[in-house]
Amino acid sequence: MNRQGLQIGNKAAEFPFIQGGMGVGVSLSGLAGAVAREGGIGIISTAQIGFREADFEKDSKAANLRAMVAELGKAREIATAADGSCKGLLGYNIMNAARDYGDYVRTAAKAGADVIISGAGLPTDMPEYVEGTDTKIAPIVSSEKAARIILKMWDRHYRRTADFLVIESAHAGGHLGFSRDVLERQNEEGFDKEYDEEICRIIDCAREYGEKYSVHIPVIVAGGIMNAGQVQHAFSLGADGVQVATPFVVTEECDAHRAYKQAYINAKAEDIEIIISPVGMPARAINNPFLERIQKEKETIRKCYRCLEKCNPATAPYCITRALIRAVEGDVENGLIFCGDNVGYLTEITTVQEVIRGLFP
Ligand SMILES: Cc1cc2nc3c(=O)[nH]c(=O)nc-3n(C[C@H](O)[C@H](O)[C@H](O)COP(=O)(O)O)c2cc1C
């Protein structure tokens, strides 16, 4: 396939793709490092990243900030060739909905992240925390409306624009920027075609702001992409690259427990559920005894990790931190397993190189 890399300002990756950040603990240094080594953009999820640190129970924020820096260092080691070169880039996904969001972004930029990507809400104050650094920033949006709000705010308040933009469709994994009603219609005929038009409008919006600042704002399309045809389709709409997450879960290099990867392999299309997470946002997950149980009874929350700004432990049906950690550590019956819409197509453990070859033969 004829392909060009991805240029984001003064930074470049050999392949025009980003491996989407996956929390908790699914995309850490192992996966992100391998992706960057192969020439892509490897993304470490900062969501409760310190869960394996000794002091996580006592001071999860301190554990998270420390683990963030350590994981980027490990990823750089994996990604860097013997001659000191690296074909890809490395960065973080930091959810805007995270409590102390600004401290995480500041730490990420200071640690030398090439890029930071923020979704799960509108990261209207993101530029403030990277000022004076060379870290490139991107919001994740699902609508033209959201793109316009963010770019207008950044323009007005910070006299700058986005370094790149990620568009996440309704087929993506984790928390989703669509209402439940929209998500229920996503397999209907014409849904994707209609969304392609939204993608084109978001690209037009990026071009407008790019012109204003005399820069090219690369636009990256995400959600349900797992083969070369889908990559080509995104390019045909005017995208500069794609973001892919779910297919990377079943790689040897992915940081999740083997049982988590096996749950992906076992999952069929009919096992996918749209849930409302404790923060009130829709999310996609694999149906399991945990999901069935929490629909009937609330879980006792013994401790609040203060992870998300809007979660109230008094009313939340379960602790999302604990549920995600249980899953990534291999307790797939009792944990929350986020997934993308294409999980049903994954049938075996592969490697990062093989996933990339499928996208860019
Ligand atoms: C297991 C899992 C965890 C995810 N966690 C996050 C997250 O913490 N923050 C975020 O912005 N996106 C998260 N995502 C979304 C991905 O980064 C990505 O944009 C999306 O899943 C792309 O669609 P795909 O999985 O179909 O390729 C997650 C996705 C999955 C599958």
Side-chain angles (χ1 to χ4, degrees):
M1 183 193 285
N2 215 353
R3 66 164 173 91
Q4 285 186 325
L6 184 58
Q7 188 80 35
I8 304 174
N10 59 351
K11 298 179 190 279
E14 270 193 15
F15 280 101
F17 89 92
I18 299 172
Q19 157 259 308
M22 292 179 278
V24 171
V26 180
S27 69
L28 300 177
S29 54
L31 177 56
V35 166
R37 185 185 59 213
E38 299 301 329
I41 302 183
I43 300 293
I44 295 166
S45 162
T46 63
Q48 301 296 54
I49 188 171
F51 71 107
R52 295 188 293 209
E53 300 284 300
D55 57 348
F56 181 70
E57 291 294 317
K58 214 171 75 210
D59 187 352
S60 45
K61 182 179 171 189
N64 288 338
L65 294 175
R66 187 180 333 112
M68 264 176 77
V69 179
E71 287 296 323
L72 185 66
K74 281 195 258 175
R76 283 228 184 274
E77 260 175 48
I78 296 168
T80 309
D83 65 1
S85 65
C86 178
K87 296 195 279 186
L89 297 174
L90 283 166
Y92 297 101
N93 176 295
I94 307 177
M95 284 194 301
N96 183 66
R99 204 178 287 263
D100 300 320
Y101 171 76
D103 293 337
Y104 287 103
V105 179
R106 262 197 214 100
T107 302
K110 204 162 147 230
D114 294 311
V115 300
I116 304 173
I117 301 170
S118 281
L122 302 181
T124 48
D125 55 354
M126 192 178 188
E128 193 175 320
Y129 309 116
V130 296
E131 215 179 296
T133 73
D134 193 31
T135 299
K136 308 299 178 206
I137 56 171
I140 302 177
V141 297
S142 292
S143 66
E144 182 198 4
K145 190 174 162 200
R148 289 208 175 272
I149 291 173
I150 294 168
L151 295 185
K152 193 171 172 181
M153 292 272 248
W154 290 14
D155 178 34
R156 284 221 183 130
H157 293 256
Y158 304 103
R159 303 265 165 250
R160 64 161 293 169
T161 193
D163 295 307
F164 60 112
L165 203 70
V166 178
I167 304 176
E168 228 177 46
S169 83
H171 298 289
H175 286 107
L176 303 163
F178 298 87
S179 69
R180 204 181 185 134
D181 289 354
V182 173
L183 293 168
E184 269 159 16
R185 287 197 294 110
Q186 62 158 9
N187 291 321
E188 285 176 11
E189 216 188 297
F191 183 92
D192 288 339
K193 207 160 176 343
E194 215 177 282
Y195 195 67
D196 281 353
E197 288 164 19
E198 187 76 9
I199 291 175
C200 292
R201 286 192 288 271
I202 299 172
I203 293 174
D204 286 346
C205 170
R207 299 291 171 260
E208 271 173 44
Y209 280 90
E211 258 171 44
K212 176 161 186 185
Y213 285 89
S214 304
V215 290
H216 176 70
I217 304 175
V219 177
I220 313 300
V221 173
I225 295 172
M226 62 183 311
N227 60 46
Q230 291 167 308
V231 173
Q232 281 309 310
H233 179 68
F235 286 147
S236 76
L237 298 175
D240 299 272
V242 293
Q243 175 167 293
V244 175
T246 298
F248 282 108
V249 172
V250 294
T251 60
E252 292 288 352
E253 294 95 333
C254 171
D255 298 273
H257 192 281
R258 194 92 190 170
Y260 192 99
K261 301 176 188 180
Q262 194 57 46
Y264 263 49
I265 291 170
N266 296 347
K268 308 263 177 299
E270 58 269 26
D271 300 323
I272 303 172
E273 294 280 334
I274 299 293
I275 61 160
I276 302 296
S277 95
V279 272
M281 287 169 81
R284 182 173 281 111
I286 298 176
N287 195 19
N288 65 354
F290 169 74
L291 280 194
E292 280 167 22
R293 199 171 64 233
I294 54 110
Q295 261 157 33
K296 289 187 218 121
E297 58 190 273
K298 197 171 160 305
E299 207 172 67
T300 312
I301 300 177
R302 292 201 173 78
K303 177 187 161 58
C304 174
Y305 294 84
R306 299 176 56 75
C307 62
L308 299 168
E309 196 71 67
K310 292 208 175 103
C311 183
N312 177 359
T315 53
Y318 57 93
C319 168
I320 192 164
T321 283
R322 283 258 61 101
L324 289 171
I325 293 174
R326 285 197 295 266
V328 80
E329 289 186 328
D331 186 0
V332 293
E333 303 277 292
N334 296 301
L336 175 57
I337 312 169
F338 279 156
C339 68
D341 201 25
N342 57 12
V343 69
Y345 296 105
L346 304 172
T347 55
E348 57 183 357
I349 301 283
T350 59
T351 63
V352 162
Q353 218 176 35
E354 282 170 313
V355 175
I356 298 175
R357 218 174 283 142
L359 298 167
F360 304 100

